[in-house]
Amino acid sequence: IMAMLDSVTADFDPSFRLAGKAAVVIGRSNIVGKPVAHLLLQRNCTVTICHSATQDLPCIIKPADIVVIAIG
C-alpha cells in the first residue's frame, strides 16, 4: 500500500507529500489495518482507525485525504 502511494505521488504529482494528510484506515487487524496505520503515522499523517463498531463512517471518510480499506 505504501509503495502504491509512493508510486502515485511520484507519477502524478511529485510535490505531493503524505506528511500532514488526514488518513482513514478502515479495519484494525494485526495483519493489515494496524501496520498500515503505523506506516502512515511514520510518514507524519494524521491517522484515524475505523472498525465495525465505528458510528457514522461517511462523516469520518468525507474529509480524509487518504482512505485505506483493510477489511475482508
Side-chain angles (χ1 to χ4, degrees):
I1 293 171
M2 298 307 292
M4 288 181 358
L5 285 172
D6 290 339
S7 171
V8 168
T9 58
D11 293 343
F12 296 107
D13 187 358
S15 66
F16 180 84
R17 298 289 178 257
L18 291 174
K21 300 294 186 220
V24 174
V25 178
I26 303 172
R28 59 181 171 181
S29 72
N30 291 330
I31 302 297
V32 180
K34 288 179 185 175
V36 168
H38 182 71
L39 290 169
L40 289 166
L41 283 169
Q42 287 181 331
R43 299 282 187 94
N44 296 315
C45 290
T46 301
V47 179
T48 302
I49 299 176
C50 299
H51 47 77
S52 59
T54 300
Q55 295 181 6
D56 208 3
L57 190 59
C59 286
I60 296 170
I61 293 173
K62 192 170 189 171
D65 300 305
I66 300 163
V67 177
V68 178
I69 301 172
I71 58 174

